[in-house]
């Protein structure tokens, strides 16, 4: 850890398919953890089943209040390490976590995280519905309106489909 501690949201890289267990263990150790879960419908030839899977595979967000919580989080079973860019730990802004929470509580289906940053698109603000006030980048695909909410600090995006007419343009291209 760096000599200058900064309270905030950090990102843990965890073993594959251990996200839920790690989040539960962190909470038991009194570390604030957040694991966004997206609803998925699994289909077989004879049945369907709703499940909840991590939006960001192998990632769990932790809010570190004091330096001692770094150790608690890092040495939790299933944790590989904190995500770093260069010699700095990846931090996520409070606003980005709030945007993720708004998306996850919206009830929208088809929410996915993507690991690339689109180079084109326009920036919009959603003017009605459960995501009102959220800024997003728009992608047109198969006559559906899809939004992309960027989580810049960890270089990922969240994609969701929206009903037509719920968007209002705020800025030009590459505005986010």
């Amino acid at each position: 850890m760096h000599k200058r501690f900064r309270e905030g949201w950090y990102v843990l890289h965890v073993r594959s398919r251990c996200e839920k267990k790690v989040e539960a263990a962190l909470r038991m150790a009194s570390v604030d953890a957040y694991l966004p879960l997206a609803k998925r419908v699994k289909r077989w030839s004879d049945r369907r089943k709703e499940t909840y899977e991590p939006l960001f595979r192998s990632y769990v967000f932790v809010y570190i209040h004091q330096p001692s919580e770094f150790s608690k989080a890092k040495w939790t079973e299933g944790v590989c390490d904190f995500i770093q860019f260069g010699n700095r730990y990846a931090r996520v802004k409070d606003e980005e976590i709030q945007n993720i929470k708004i998306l996850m509580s919206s009830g929208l289906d088809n929410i996915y995280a993507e690991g690339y940053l689109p180079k084109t698109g326009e920036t919009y603000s959603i003017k009605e519905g459960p995501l009102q006030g959220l800024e997003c980048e728009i992608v047109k695909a198969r006559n559906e309106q899809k939004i992309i909410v960027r989580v810049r600090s960890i270089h990922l995006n969240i994609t969701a489909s929206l009903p037509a007419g719920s968007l209002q343009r705020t800025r030009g291209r590459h505005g986010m």
Side-chain angles (χ1 to χ4, degrees):
M1 197 189 111
H2 294 289
K3 292 179 183 178
R4 285 183 272 151
F5 168 73
R6 289 178 50 194
E7 181 178 340
W9 287 101
Y10 291 85
V11 186
L12 287 173
H13 179 252
V14 302
R15 288 188 359 231
S16 179
R17 301 187 178 271
C18 289
E19 299 93 348
K20 292 178 185 178
K21 289 178 186 175
V22 168
E23 181 199 25
L26 288 165
R27 290 183 185 276
M28 289 294 291
S30 300
V31 175
D32 288 338
Y34 176 56
L35 176 63
L37 297 172
K39 182 171 76 171
R40 302 282 183 256
V41 177
K42 305 266 184 168
R43 292 184 178 106
W44 292 271
S45 61
D46 62 337
R47 67 186 189 286
R48 294 174 137 173
K49 181 180 178 182
E50 282 186 6
T51 63
Y52 288 87
E53 297 178 1
L55 181 63
F56 303 105
R57 295 213 178 269
S58 298
Y59 285 176
V60 174
F61 300 99
V62 291
Y63 193 92
I64 303 295
H65 297 275
Q66 51 191 319
S68 64
E69 291 178 339
F70 266 92
S71 304
K72 274 187 189 178
K74 185 173 182 166
W75 299 113
T76 300
E77 186 176 345
V79 171
C80 298
D81 205 350
F82 281 92
I83 299 292
Q84 294 184 46
F85 295 112
N87 64 353
R88 301 198 133 194
Y89 291 111
R91 289 199 39 189
V92 180
K93 295 178 182 176
D94 288 336
E95 301 85 43
E96 291 174 324
I97 293 292
Q98 288 307 319
N99 283 344
I100 294 169
K101 287 180 178 182
I102 289 169
L103 271 171
M104 300 317 295
S105 66
S106 69
L108 292 174
D109 291 333
N110 300 321
I111 298 176
Y112 295 92
E114 300 175 355
Y116 71 93
L117 293 175
K119 297 187 187 311
T120 60
E122 297 175 329
T123 303
Y124 284 78
S125 175
I126 300 173
K127 64 182 181 178
E128 58 188 45
L131 302 178
Q132 184 175 357
L134 188 68
E135 286 195 2
C136 55
E137 185 172 341
I138 303 305
V139 174
K140 284 277 195 180
R142 295 189 191 112
N143 296 324
E144 291 179 342
Q145 289 187 309
K146 295 199 179 224
I147 63 169
I148 296 175
V149 178
R150 292 185 180 177
V151 184
R152 290 182 184 269
S153 51
I154 57 174
H155 305 288
L156 291 172
N157 301 314
I158 300 170
T159 304
S161 297
L162 286 182
S166 60
L167 300 171
Q168 175 180 342
R169 188 164 186 183
T170 57
R171 290 183 267 181
R173 297 168 67 87
H174 306 293
M176 281 188 77

